[in-house]
Structures are given as structure tokens and as C-alpha cells.
Amino acid sequence: ALVIGCKKDFFVPPEVAHRLSRKISRAHLEIFENSSHAPMISEAQKLNSLLNRFFSSLEQRQTSCRQVNAQDQPNNQLNH
């Protein structure tokens, strides 16, 4: 999971993001230093870069899991 917080956010203080990330196993916490409640406006490039890296890591994990699962499956062609 990716948890995003903003240092200057008065609606959802960064402490909330810290608490949430500690409760989620293997969560990655990213705090935007120069944003209030809308990093997609104030730090758009940084947010886009972060999201691209996060989604790429998910795709890599999914591909790795598929490869491991394929190795664990019996070869049905040999059984016919």
C-alpha cells in the first residue's frame, strides 16, 4: 500500500498518514513537504513520479508471482 500525507495539511494532518502506514503491513509512506491538502496541484510532478514508481513495482511483483505460480503448476500436457 502507498500512504501519502502532506506536511502542511490541516484537514488530514501528516500524523494520520504516519499512524495509517504503521497499521498497514509493508506500507510505503510518502510525506509531501511543500503541500497542504492537494499534492496533485502543488507537487504534481513529484506525485506523478511517485505513482508511476509505485504502480511499476506492483506490476513487477505481479509478474514475479505469475512466474512462481506457473512453475508450481503441473504440466498438463504430460498427463494426456
Side-chain angles (χ1 to χ4, degrees):
L2 175 62
V3 178
I4 298 173
C6 299
K7 186 174 183 176
K8 301 175 184 178
D9 192 338
F10 297 107
F11 296 108
V12 183
E15 293 79 24
V16 174
H18 284 280
R19 272 188 270 143
L20 181 62
S21 70
R22 286 192 297 267
K23 293 191 179 281
I24 300 173
S25 175
R26 296 183 303 172
H28 175 77
L29 173 64
E30 188 75 29
I31 300 293
F32 284 76
E33 298 293 324
N34 300 313
S35 294
S36 55
H37 193 67
M40 68 291 259
I41 296 170
S42 55
E43 294 185 76
Q45 281 188 319
K46 182 179 178 182
L47 178 62
N48 287 339
S49 176
L50 173 65
L51 292 173
N52 283 332
R53 287 192 316 270
F54 178 72
F55 290 130
S56 291
S57 73
L58 293 180
E59 289 173 0
Q60 290 171 356
R61 276 191 230 148
Q62 189 175 29
T63 300
S64 295
C65 288
R66 282 189 193 132
Q67 290 171 347
V68 168
N69 288 338
Q71 292 171 356
D72 291 341
Q73 296 297 319
N75 188 344
N76 289 332
Q77 293 175 347
L78 296 177
N79 295 331
H80 292 275

